Amino acid sequence: LHQYQKGIKYYDDALSILGGLHSPTQTMIRCNYNKGYAYAALEDHASAIQSYEKALELIQQINPDYSHIVSLCHHLIADSYYSLQQYDSALSHYQKSMELLLDYEPQRMQEITDLCVSIGRTCFYQGYYKDAEKFFINARKLYKKMNKDKVLININSKRYTIISCVVCGLLIAAGF
């Protein structure tokens, strides 16, 4: 806990030094991204979102073609919105992340699969059961493509195997 707070201070110090530069740098992106990660670890999700969004803003100024990093930032923003139970915002950012990752399909199969599970879980909480089912089924298909025989999902820090979408939905509904 203390280390994350210390890390945030160091990132703020670095950003104040780098702020004197006329143009943003990759180090500034990394500092904001890492600061967001530290805030998320401290469960300060609103601050995490601000840091990730700042990283996205800097990426657009430097090189908007950093699709993988932009995708990752959207995924982490979505995770923070999800933790804040702002499911519509989470779903929007999960979908942005997915769109960017699809360009890298063979190299990013695991991340795409994880996003399918995250989107499915978010859809389920929103009551979009058919959409949730679609994403869980896609996750199973992708896992099979990767020669994995089961899909694991984290629900409240516990790992479950998705046997079927119905079982997953029941686990979520039961508060697991």
Side-chain angles (χ1 to χ4, degrees):
L1 185 68
H2 182 66
Q3 298 297 350
Y4 287 117
Q5 292 166 332
K6 221 193 254 188
I8 291 168
K9 184 198 176 322
Y10 290 141
Y11 291 128
D12 283 338
D13 290 348
L15 287 167
S16 68
I17 292 167
L18 294 169
L21 302 175
H22 294 292
S23 60
T25 67
Q26 288 184 352
T27 303
M28 292 168 81
I29 294 169
R30 194 171 296 118
C31 284
N32 280 288
Y33 171 86
N34 289 341
K35 197 167 106 170
Y37 190 82
Y39 278 126
L42 293 170
E43 297 186 19
D44 182 352
H45 296 289
S47 296
I49 291 167
Q50 287 178 340
S51 294
Y52 295 137
E53 286 178 342
K54 182 63 178 176
L56 284 173
E57 177 187 318
L58 293 169
I59 289 168
Q60 291 302 313
Q61 292 175 32
I62 293 177
N63 186 349
D65 293 331
Y66 286 163
S67 296
H68 176 65
I69 298 168
V70 172
S71 172
L72 187 56
C73 282
H74 280 294
H75 190 160
L76 294 169
I77 290 169
D79 287 346
S80 286
Y81 276 124
Y82 184 88
S83 294
L84 293 170
Q85 297 181 347
Q86 295 179 20
Y87 300 120
D88 286 337
S89 295
L91 192 55
S92 172
H93 283 279
Y94 282 135
Q95 288 171 332
K96 286 178 189 175
S97 180
M98 175 77 83
E99 289 167 11
L100 291 164
L101 275 179
L102 288 174
D103 292 339
Y104 299 97
E105 189 210 335
Q107 300 91 348
R108 303 288 179 206
M109 189 74 72
Q110 181 66 52
E111 291 169 70
I112 293 170
T113 306
D114 292 344
L115 270 170
C116 282
V117 171
S118 294
I119 294 170
R121 184 184 59 197
T122 304
C123 287
F124 188 88
Y125 274 121
Q126 286 295 92
Y128 308 139
Y129 303 116
K130 289 289 184 190
D131 291 332
E133 181 180 35
K134 179 180 75 172
F135 282 102
F136 289 138
I137 288 169
N138 284 336
R140 283 185 60 95
K141 287 177 185 175
L142 290 169
Y143 265 97
K144 285 181 181 180
K145 250 185 177 176
M146 293 184 296
N147 295 320
K148 295 184 178 183
D149 56 349
K150 58 186 174 182
V151 179
L152 297 174
I153 181 172
N154 286 323
I155 301 174
N156 294 337
S157 302
K158 296 178 185 174
R159 290 183 74 77
Y160 295 95
T161 301
I162 297 178
I163 299 164
S164 73
C165 301
V166 175
V167 171
C168 184
L170 291 172
L171 286 171
I172 293 170
F176 285 97

